[in-house]
Amino acid sequence: MKKIFIPIITILVFFITSCRHENDTPAEKSKIISKIDSTEKNLFNPESSSVDQKLARYVMNLYLDFAKKYSDDSVRCAEYLFRASELSRATGEYFQAINYLDGICKNYPKFKKIPECIFLQGFYYQEFLKDTVYARGFYNQLILKYPTHVLVNDAKMLINMFGKSEETIIKEFEAKEKMQEKK
């Protein structure tokens, strides 16, 4: 019985993995993209100024399905994962948002928004998870890898705010403004 069972399993596995599913066609890919586009339009509720939680989870699953099925489309996959990160943040799933950004950095290193991904990881750690150690690491990574990027000044400013009270930050800001006015 074992001798017959193993070849049957092997044949089934081969058959299942070698069959081309209809969702591998260009038409199915376009269908998923259209579904994502139409769903995204309904995500934000202007009346309540919030994201529809149920719809956000649905579209995040669409993003992930797309990235899984069409991983060769690196530009679109990275963009969809970036959007999934934004939705995760909007729904309060900060660790998940960070994980998506980290996945983009690791799997799509040529993605044009890599500096933003690095910065946002630091910002989410700082702002939502109150972890300035990790935040500093990401900000420093951004500063070292992309020294001319527009977000570098923001990263430096945020690092300088670590450990300061709001009152101290406001006083420093006001002092800088006064110095600017004198010039």
Side-chain angles (χ1 to χ4, degrees), residues 5-180:
F5 185 68
I6 292 174
I8 290 174
I9 298 260
T10 305
I11 292 169
L12 281 173
V13 169
F14 176 76
F15 179 74
I16 290 169
T17 58
S18 65
C19 286
R20 188 159 173 84
H21 299 286
E22 70 175 70
N23 62 0
D24 290 337
T25 66
E28 186 61 27
K29 182 178 179 181
S30 294
K31 186 176 173 183
I32 292 173
I33 292 168
S34 294
K35 190 182 288 188
I36 287 170
D37 291 343
S38 65
T39 307
E40 284 178 331
K41 292 176 185 172
N42 299 314
L43 273 173
F44 186 73
N45 183 344
E47 293 171 8
S48 65
S49 297
S50 65
V51 173
D52 182 321
Q53 301 274 331
K54 192 174 182 179
L55 211 50
R57 292 193 197 314
Y58 175 72
V59 78
M60 278 191 279
N61 285 331
L62 289 175
Y63 293 148
L64 297 177
D65 286 345
F66 183 92
K68 192 176 185 181
K69 290 176 184 172
Y70 306 104
S71 59
D72 59 322
D73 188 345
S74 61
V75 173
R76 190 169 274 132
C77 286
E79 181 60 37
Y80 283 165
L81 292 173
F82 190 83
R83 292 179 193 178
S85 173
E86 290 175 329
L87 286 176
S88 293
R89 184 214 29 92
T91 58
E93 297 174 15
Y94 307 119
F95 280 116
Q96 188 61 50
I98 291 167
N99 286 334
Y100 287 135
L101 294 168
D102 183 57
I104 294 167
C105 291
K106 288 179 180 169
N107 298 314
Y108 306 100
K110 294 183 180 179
F111 182 50
K112 66 182 179 182
K113 294 182 183 176
I114 290 294
E116 289 88 342
C117 291
I118 295 169
F119 177 84
L120 288 173
Q121 287 178 83
F123 184 76
Y124 295 167
Y125 270 110
Q126 179 185 356
E127 186 69 19
F128 303 118
L129 304 175
K130 307 301 182 204
D131 188 333
T132 56
V133 173
Y134 274 107
R136 182 184 304 273
F138 285 106
Y139 293 149
N140 284 330
Q141 181 182 353
L142 175 70
I143 293 165
L144 291 172
K145 285 187 172 182
Y146 304 95
T148 60
H149 194 275
V150 68
L151 289 173
V152 166
N153 288 334
D154 292 341
K156 288 177 180 178
M157 181 187 68
L158 290 169
I159 288 172
N160 288 330
M161 286 190 223
F162 289 165
K164 295 179 182 178
S165 69
E166 283 184 39
E167 185 179 307
T168 303
I169 293 168
I170 291 170
K171 285 180 182 177
E172 288 177 1
F173 182 73
E174 289 171 347
K176 284 183 183 178
E177 279 188 339
K178 285 180 183 177
M179 289 179 71
Q180 295 285 338

